[in-house]
PDB file of all heavy atoms in Angstrom:
ATOM      1  N   SER A 162      -8.806  23.459  10.580  1.00  0.00           N
ATOM      2  CA  SER A 162      -7.374  23.216  10.785  1.00  0.00           C
ATOM      3  C   SER A 162      -7.018  21.762  10.500  1.00  0.00           C
ATOM      4  O   SER A 162      -5.963  21.467   9.907  1.00  0.00           O
ATOM      5  CB  SER A 162      -6.955  23.611  12.195  1.00  0.00           C
ATOM      6  OG  SER A 162      -7.618  22.829  13.164  1.00  0.00           O
ATOM      7  N   ARG A 163      -7.872  20.833  10.905  1.00  0.00           N
ATOM      8  CA  ARG A 163      -7.610  19.425  10.629  1.00  0.00           C
ATOM      9  C   ARG A 163      -7.668  19.152   9.132  1.00  0.00           C
ATOM     10  O   ARG A 163      -6.829  18.432   8.581  1.00  0.00           O
ATOM     11  CB  ARG A 163      -8.611  18.543  11.379  1.00  0.00           C
ATOM     12  CG  ARG A 163      -8.445  18.561  12.901  1.00  0.00           C
ATOM     13  CD  ARG A 163      -9.648  17.903  13.568  1.00  0.00           C
ATOM     14  NE  ARG A 163      -9.536  17.835  15.024  1.00  0.00           N
ATOM     15  CZ  ARG A 163      -9.820  18.831  15.843  1.00  0.00           C
ATOM     16  NH1 ARG A 163     -10.205  20.011  15.336  1.00  0.00           N
ATOM     17  NH2 ARG A 163      -9.720  18.687  17.153  1.00  0.00           N
ATOM     18  N   ALA A 164      -8.682  19.714   8.481  1.00  0.00           N
ATOM     19  CA  ALA A 164      -8.811  19.525   7.032  1.00  0.00           C
ATOM     20  C   ALA A 164      -7.605  20.105   6.302  1.00  0.00           C
ATOM     21  O   ALA A 164      -7.101  19.504   5.339  1.00  0.00           O
ATOM     22  CB  ALA A 164     -10.105  20.170   6.536  1.00  0.00           C
ATOM     23  N   ASP A 165      -7.123  21.256   6.751  1.00  0.00           N
ATOM     24  CA  ASP A 165      -5.942  21.866   6.120  1.00  0.00           C
ATOM     25  C   ASP A 165      -4.721  20.964   6.265  1.00  0.00           C
ATOM     26  O   ASP A 165      -3.931  20.796   5.317  1.00  0.00           O
ATOM     27  CB  ASP A 165      -5.652  23.234   6.729  1.00  0.00           C
ATOM     28  CG  ASP A 165      -6.629  24.307   6.283  1.00  0.00           C
ATOM     29  OD1 ASP A 165      -7.347  24.074   5.296  1.00  0.00           O
ATOM     30  OD2 ASP A 165      -6.667  25.376   6.923  1.00  0.00           O
ATOM     31  N   ALA A 166      -4.523  20.373   7.460  1.00  0.00           N
ATOM     32  CA  ALA A 166      -3.378  19.493   7.679  1.00  0.00           C
ATOM     33  C   ALA A 166      -3.473  18.248   6.805  1.00  0.00           C
ATOM     34  O   ALA A 166      -2.473  17.791   6.232  1.00  0.00           O
ATOM     35  CB  ALA A 166      -3.298  19.102   9.152  1.00  0.00           C
ATOM     36  N   ILE A 167      -4.673  17.694   6.685  1.00  0.00           N
ATOM     37  CA  ILE A 167      -4.869  16.517   5.833  1.00  0.00           C
ATOM     38  C   ILE A 167      -4.607  16.865   4.377  1.00  0.00           C
ATOM     39  O   ILE A 167      -3.937  16.119   3.649  1.00  0.00           O
ATOM     40  CB  ILE A 167      -6.290  15.965   6.021  1.00  0.00           C
ATOM     41  CG1 ILE A 167      -6.437  15.383   7.431  1.00  0.00           C
ATOM     42  CG2 ILE A 167      -6.622  14.926   4.962  1.00  0.00           C
ATOM     43  CD1 ILE A 167      -7.865  15.106   7.843  1.00  0.00           C
ATOM     44  N   ARG A 168      -5.103  18.030   3.930  1.00  0.00           N
ATOM     45  CA  ARG A 168      -4.871  18.467   2.551  1.00  0.00           C
ATOM     46  C   ARG A 168      -3.382  18.624   2.270  1.00  0.00           C
ATOM     47  O   ARG A 168      -2.873  18.160   1.228  1.00  0.00           O
ATOM     48  CB  ARG A 168      -5.608  19.785   2.289  1.00  0.00           C
ATOM     49  CG  ARG A 168      -5.498  20.288   0.843  1.00  0.00           C
ATOM     50  CD  ARG A 168      -6.196  21.623   0.669  1.00  0.00           C
ATOM     51  NE  ARG A 168      -7.619  21.523   0.962  1.00  0.00           N
ATOM     52  CZ  ARG A 168      -8.208  21.991   2.053  1.00  0.00           C
ATOM     53  NH1 ARG A 168      -7.470  22.604   3.000  1.00  0.00           N
ATOM     54  NH2 ARG A 168      -9.509  21.866   2.236  1.00  0.00           N
ATOM     55  N   ASP A 169      -2.677  19.264   3.197  1.00  0.00           N
ATOM     56  CA  ASP A 169      -1.231  19.450   2.997  1.00  0.00           C
ATOM     57  C   ASP A 169      -0.508  18.107   2.965  1.00  0.00           C
ATOM     58  O   ASP A 169       0.418  17.901   2.174  1.00  0.00           O
ATOM     59  CB  ASP A 169      -0.654  20.326   4.109  1.00  0.00           C
ATOM     60  CG  ASP A 169      -1.112  21.775   4.007  1.00  0.00           C
ATOM     61  OD1 ASP A 169      -1.627  22.157   2.933  1.00  0.00           O
ATOM     62  OD2 ASP A 169      -0.960  22.515   5.000  1.00  0.00           O
ATOM     63  N   ALA A 170      -0.921  17.179   3.828  1.00  0.00           N
ATOM     64  CA  ALA A 170      -0.293  15.860   3.850  1.00  0.00           C
ATOM     65  C   ALA A 170      -0.551  15.113   2.546  1.00  0.00           C
ATOM     66  O   ALA A 170       0.358  14.465   1.992  1.00  0.00           O
ATOM     67  CB  ALA A 170      -0.826  15.051   5.030  1.00  0.00           C
ATOM     68  N   LEU A 171      -1.774  15.197   2.037  1.00  0.00           N
ATOM     69  CA  LEU A 171      -2.083  14.542   0.764  1.00  0.00           C
ATOM     70  C   LEU A 171      -1.252  15.134  -0.367  1.00  0.00           C
ATOM     71  O   LEU A 171      -0.741  14.403  -1.232  1.00  0.00           O
ATOM     72  CB  LEU A 171      -3.579  14.680   0.459  1.00  0.00           C
ATOM     73  CG  LEU A 171      -4.531  13.895   1.369  1.00  0.00           C
ATOM     74  CD1 LEU A 171      -5.970  14.252   1.041  1.00  0.00           C
ATOM     75  CD2 LEU A 171      -4.315  12.388   1.217  1.00  0.00           C
ATOM     76  N   ARG A 172      -1.116  16.460  -0.359  1.00  0.00           N
ATOM     77  CA  ARG A 172      -0.314  17.110  -1.418  1.00  0.00           C
ATOM     78  C   ARG A 172       1.148  16.670  -1.333  1.00  0.00           C
ATOM     79  O   ARG A 172       1.820  16.501  -2.349  1.00  0.00           O
ATOM     80  CB  ARG A 172      -0.419  18.633  -1.300  1.00  0.00           C
ATOM     81  CG  ARG A 172      -1.830  19.199  -1.413  1.00  0.00           C
ATOM     82  CD  ARG A 172      -2.475  18.900  -2.761  1.00  0.00           C
ATOM     83  NE  ARG A 172      -3.802  19.487  -2.840  1.00  0.00           N
ATOM     84  CZ  ARG A 172      -4.931  18.825  -2.573  1.00  0.00           C
ATOM     85  NH1 ARG A 172      -4.873  17.556  -2.174  1.00  0.00           N
ATOM     86  NH2 ARG A 172      -6.106  19.409  -2.686  1.00  0.00           N
ATOM     87  N   MET A 173       1.659  16.487  -0.109  1.00  0.00           N
ATOM     88  CA  MET A 173       3.033  16.025   0.067  1.00  0.00           C
ATOM     89  C   MET A 173       3.233  14.641  -0.532  1.00  0.00           C
ATOM     90  O   MET A 173       4.346  14.272  -0.928  1.00  0.00           O
ATOM     91  CB  MET A 173       3.393  16.009   1.561  1.00  0.00           C
ATOM     92  CG  MET A 173       3.515  17.400   2.185  1.00  0.00           C
ATOM     93  SD  MET A 173       3.571  17.379   4.000  1.00  0.00           S
ATOM     94  CE  MET A 173       5.145  16.578   4.277  1.00  0.00           C
ATOM     95  N   GLU A 174       2.157  13.866  -0.619  1.00  0.00           N
ATOM     96  CA  GLU A 174       2.222  12.526  -1.188  1.00  0.00           C
ATOM     97  C   GLU A 174       1.733  12.489  -2.633  1.00  0.00           C
ATOM     98  O   GLU A 174       1.520  11.411  -3.193  1.00  0.00           O
ATOM     99  CB  GLU A 174       1.411  11.560  -0.333  1.00  0.00           C
ATOM    100  CG  GLU A 174       1.962  11.403   1.076  1.00  0.00           C
ATOM    101  CD  GLU A 174       1.211  10.355   1.884  1.00  0.00           C
ATOM    102  OE1 GLU A 174       0.008  10.563   2.140  1.00  0.00           O
ATOM    103  OE2 GLU A 174       1.822   9.346   2.248  1.00  0.00           O
ATOM    104  N   GLY A 175       1.526  13.674  -3.217  1.00  0.00           N
ATOM    105  CA  GLY A 175       1.145  13.744  -4.622  1.00  0.00           C
ATOM    106  C   GLY A 175      -0.327  13.546  -4.900  1.00  0.00           C
ATOM    107  O   GLY A 175      -0.719  13.347  -6.058  1.00  0.00           O
ATOM    108  N   CYS A 176      -1.164  13.605  -3.864  1.00  0.00           N
ATOM    109  CA  CYS A 176      -2.604  13.413  -4.034  1.00  0.00           C
ATOM    110  C   CYS A 176      -3.291  14.775  -4.084  1.00  0.00           C
ATOM    111  O   CYS A 176      -3.097  15.604  -3.192  1.00  0.00           O
ATOM    112  CB  CYS A 176      -3.174  12.587  -2.882  1.00  0.00           C
ATOM    113  SG  CYS A 176      -4.964  12.374  -2.942  1.00  0.00           S
ATOM    114  N   THR A 177      -4.099  15.014  -5.106  1.00  0.00           N
ATOM    115  CA  THR A 177      -4.758  16.311  -5.287  1.00  0.00           C
ATOM    116  C   THR A 177      -6.263  16.240  -5.022  1.00  0.00           C
ATOM    117  O   THR A 177      -6.995  17.158  -5.386  1.00  0.00           O
ATOM    118  CB  THR A 177      -4.517  16.840  -6.705  1.00  0.00           C
ATOM    119  OG1 THR A 177      -5.037  15.897  -7.658  1.00  0.00           O
ATOM    120  CG2 THR A 177      -3.028  17.049  -6.963  1.00  0.00           C
ATOM    121  N   GLU A 178      -6.721  15.181  -4.402  1.00  0.00           N
ATOM    122  CA  GLU A 178      -8.147  15.032  -4.136  1.00  0.00           C
ATOM    123  C   GLU A 178      -8.641  16.102  -3.157  1.00  0.00           C
ATOM    124  O   GLU A 178      -7.892  16.584  -2.304  1.00  0.00           O
ATOM    125  CB  GLU A 178      -8.426  13.630  -3.598  1.00  0.00           C
ATOM    126  CG  GLU A 178      -8.200  12.555  -4.647  1.00  0.00           C
ATOM    127  CD  GLU A 178      -8.182  11.149  -4.085  1.00  0.00           C
ATOM    128  OE1 GLU A 178      -8.036  10.988  -2.857  1.00  0.00           O
ATOM    129  OE2 GLU A 178      -8.300  10.194  -4.888  1.00  0.00           O
ATOM    130  N   ARG A 179      -9.903  16.444  -3.293  1.00  0.00           N
ATOM    131  CA  ARG A 179     -10.494  17.541  -2.525  1.00  0.00           C
ATOM    132  C   ARG A 179     -10.694  17.127  -1.058  1.00  0.00           C
ATOM    133  O   ARG A 179     -10.952  15.969  -0.748  1.00  0.00           O
ATOM    134  CB  ARG A 179     -11.829  17.935  -3.153  1.00  0.00           C
ATOM    135  CG  ARG A 179     -12.477  19.171  -2.618  1.00  0.00           C
ATOM    136  CD  ARG A 179     -13.445  19.759  -3.651  1.00  0.00           C
ATOM    137  NE  ARG A 179     -14.440  18.810  -4.092  1.00  0.00           N
ATOM    138  CZ  ARG A 179     -15.692  18.740  -3.621  1.00  0.00           C
ATOM    139  NH1 ARG A 179     -16.074  19.597  -2.674  1.00  0.00           N
ATOM    140  NH2 ARG A 179     -16.563  17.865  -4.084  1.00  0.00           N
ATOM    141  N   VAL A 180     -10.580  18.119  -0.153  1.00  0.00           N
ATOM    142  CA  VAL A 180     -10.796  17.904   1.276  1.00  0.00           C
ATOM    143  C   VAL A 180     -11.888  18.867   1.749  1.00  0.00           C
ATOM    144  O   VAL A 180     -11.818  20.064   1.485  1.00  0.00           O
ATOM    145  CB  VAL A 180      -9.511  18.119   2.087  1.00  0.00           C
ATOM    146  CG1 VAL A 180      -9.769  17.867   3.571  1.00  0.00           C
ATOM    147  CG2 VAL A 180      -8.389  17.219   1.572  1.00  0.00           C
ATOM    148  N   VAL A 181     -12.885  18.332   2.430  1.00  0.00           N
ATOM    149  CA  VAL A 181     -14.004  19.129   2.937  1.00  0.00           C
ATOM    150  C   VAL A 181     -13.922  19.190   4.466  1.00  0.00           C
ATOM    151  O   VAL A 181     -13.764  18.164   5.130  1.00  0.00           O
ATOM    152  CB  VAL A 181     -15.362  18.524   2.515  1.00  0.00           C
ATOM    153  CG1 VAL A 181     -16.519  19.302   3.145  1.00  0.00           C
ATOM    154  CG2 VAL A 181     -15.484  18.507   1.000  1.00  0.00           C
ATOM    155  N   ALA A 182     -14.039  20.393   5.020  1.00  0.00           N
ATOM    156  CA  ALA A 182     -14.038  20.588   6.463  1.00  0.00           C
ATOM    157  C   ALA A 182     -15.474  20.738   6.956  1.00  0.00           C
ATOM    158  O   ALA A 182     -16.204  21.625   6.502  1.00  0.00           O
ATOM    159  CB  ALA A 182     -13.224  21.828   6.832  1.00  0.00           C
ATOM    160  N   LEU A 183     -15.891  19.877   7.874  1.00  0.00           N
ATOM    161  CA  LEU A 183     -17.213  19.995   8.482  1.00  0.00           C
ATOM    162  C   LEU A 183     -17.104  20.899   9.709  1.00  0.00           C
ATOM    163  O   LEU A 183     -16.250  20.686  10.564  1.00  0.00           O
ATOM    164  CB  LEU A 183     -17.741  18.615   8.882  1.00  0.00           C
ATOM    165  CG  LEU A 183     -17.942  17.642   7.708  1.00  0.00           C
ATOM    166  CD1 LEU A 183     -18.470  16.307   8.215  1.00  0.00           C
ATOM    167  CD2 LEU A 183     -18.884  18.229   6.667  1.00  0.00           C
ATOM    168  N   PRO A 184     -17.962  21.916   9.813  1.00  0.00           N
ATOM    169  CA  PRO A 184     -17.747  22.975  10.806  1.00  0.00           C
ATOM    170  C   PRO A 184     -18.415  22.769  12.151  1.00  0.00           C
ATOM    171  O   PRO A 184     -18.146  23.515  13.084  1.00  0.00           O
ATOM    172  CB  PRO A 184     -18.375  24.187  10.100  1.00  0.00           C
ATOM    173  CG  PRO A 184     -19.518  23.589   9.324  1.00  0.00           C
ATOM    174  CD  PRO A 184     -19.064  22.227   8.888  1.00  0.00           C
ATOM    175  N   ALA A 185     -19.285  21.788  12.302  1.00  0.00           N
ATOM    176  CA  ALA A 185     -20.139  21.743  13.483  1.00  0.00           C
ATOM    177  C   ALA A 185     -19.433  21.111  14.679  1.00  0.00           C
ATOM    178  O   ALA A 185     -18.985  19.970  14.614  1.00  0.00           O
ATOM    179  CB  ALA A 185     -21.418  20.962  13.174  1.00  0.00           C
ATOM    180  N   THR A 186     -19.352  21.862  15.791  1.00  0.00           N
ATOM    181  CA  THR A 186     -18.801  21.343  17.042  1.00  0.00           C
ATOM    182  C   THR A 186     -19.949  20.727  17.826  1.00  0.00           C
ATOM    183  O   THR A 186     -20.527  21.352  18.722  1.00  0.00           O
ATOM    184  CB  THR A 186     -18.108  22.459  17.843  1.00  0.00           C
ATOM    185  OG1 THR A 186     -17.147  23.102  17.017  1.00  0.00           O
ATOM    186  CG2 THR A 186     -17.406  21.886  19.067  1.00  0.00           C
ATOM    187  N   LEU A 187     -20.285  19.486  17.504  1.00  0.00           N
ATOM    188  CA  LEU A 187     -21.485  18.847  18.032  1.00  0.00           C
ATOM    189  C   LEU A 187     -21.274  18.175  19.377  1.00  0.00           C
ATOM    190  O   LEU A 187     -22.166  17.497  19.870  1.00  0.00           O
ATOM    191  CB  LEU A 187     -22.002  17.830  17.005  1.00  0.00           C
ATOM    192  CG  LEU A 187     -22.394  18.442  15.649  1.00  0.00           C
ATOM    193  CD1 LEU A 187     -22.720  17.351  14.643  1.00  0.00           C
ATOM    194  CD2 LEU A 187     -23.573  19.397  15.806  1.00  0.00           C
ATOM    195  N   SER A 188     -20.106  18.400  19.991  1.00  0.00           N
ATOM    196  CA  SER A 188     -19.886  17.882  21.339  1.00  0.00           C
ATOM    197  C   SER A 188     -20.544  18.770  22.398  1.00  0.00           C
ATOM    198  O   SER A 188     -20.535  18.422  23.576  1.00  0.00           O
ATOM    199  CB  SER A 188     -18.384  17.747  21.628  1.00  0.00           C
ATOM    200  OG  SER A 188     -17.715  18.973  21.393  1.00  0.00           O
ATOM    201  N   HIS A 189     -21.115  19.891  21.994  1.00  0.00           N
ATOM    202  CA  HIS A 189     -21.915  20.686  22.923  1.00  0.00           C
ATOM    203  C   HIS A 189     -23.094  21.304  22.187  1.00  0.00           C
ATOM    204  O   HIS A 189     -23.076  21.454  20.965  1.00  0.00           O
ATOM    205  CB  HIS A 189     -21.078  21.791  23.597  1.00  0.00           C
ATOM    206  CG  HIS A 189     -20.632  22.882  22.679  1.00  0.00           C
ATOM    207  ND1 HIS A 189     -19.369  22.958  22.162  1.00  0.00           N
ATOM    208  CD2 HIS A 189     -21.291  23.965  22.185  1.00  0.00           C
ATOM    209  CE1 HIS A 189     -19.256  24.014  21.392  1.00  0.00           C
ATOM    210  NE2 HIS A 189     -20.418  24.651  21.385  1.00  0.00           N
ATOM    211  N   GLY A 190     -24.126  21.597  22.932  1.00  0.00           N
ATOM    212  CA  GLY A 190     -25.304  22.236  22.362  1.00  0.00           C
ATOM    213  C   GLY A 190     -26.329  21.235  21.856  1.00  0.00           C
ATOM    214  O   GLY A 190     -26.078  20.029  21.807  1.00  0.00           O
ATOM    215  N   PRO A 191     -27.502  21.724  21.473  1.00  0.00           N
ATOM    216  CA  PRO A 191     -28.570  20.844  21.004  1.00  0.00           C
ATOM    217  C   PRO A 191     -28.232  20.191  19.672  1.00  0.00           C
ATOM    218  O   PRO A 191     -27.622  20.804  18.802  1.00  0.00           O
ATOM    219  CB  PRO A 191     -29.772  21.795  20.866  1.00  0.00           C
ATOM    220  CG  PRO A 191     -29.169  23.151  20.674  1.00  0.00           C
ATOM    221  CD  PRO A 191     -27.901  23.140  21.480  1.00  0.00           C
ATOM    222  N   ILE A 192     -28.637  18.931  19.515  1.00  0.00           N
ATOM    223  CA  ILE A 192     -28.368  18.194  18.269  1.00  0.00           C
ATOM    224  C   ILE A 192     -29.630  17.537  17.728  1.00  0.00           C
ATOM    225  O   ILE A 192     -29.555  16.714  16.812  1.00  0.00           O
ATOM    226  CB  ILE A 192     -27.272  17.122  18.469  1.00  0.00           C
ATOM    227  CG1 ILE A 192     -27.629  16.189  19.619  1.00  0.00           C
ATOM    228  CG2 ILE A 192     -25.926  17.789  18.697  1.00  0.00           C
ATOM    229  CD1 ILE A 192     -26.675  15.000  19.767  1.00  0.00           C
ATOM    230  N   ASP A 193     -30.788  17.866  18.279  1.00  0.00           N
ATOM    231  CA  ASP A 193     -32.040  17.264  17.800  1.00  0.00           C
ATOM    232  C   ASP A 193     -33.025  18.349  17.416  1.00  0.00           C
ATOM    233  O   ASP A 193     -33.849  18.764  18.246  1.00  0.00           O
ATOM    234  CB  ASP A 193     -32.629  16.357  18.884  1.00  0.00           C
ATOM    235  CG  ASP A 193     -33.841  15.589  18.377  1.00  0.00           C
ATOM    236  OD1 ASP A 193     -33.947  15.392  17.152  1.00  0.00           O
ATOM    237  OD2 ASP A 193     -34.688  15.200  19.210  1.00  0.00           O
TER     238      ASP A 193
END
């Protein structure tokens, strides 16, 4: 959802650069 909002905002400003969404919710669960 954040990546989509950033992409839409960039398009509103005429920027067509690619946006990648990272999926990992690393605020919980094992990370090592």
Side-chain angles (χ1 to χ4, degrees):
S162 63
R163 292 168 178 82
D165 286 345
I167 292 167
R168 183 182 299 106
D169 290 345
L171 291 174
R172 300 299 182 264
M173 291 167 67
E174 296 184 296
C176 177
T177 59
E178 292 168 344
R179 189 157 55 98
V180 181
V181 175
L183 298 180
T186 306
L187 299 173
S188 54
H189 68 259
I192 54 173
D193 186 24

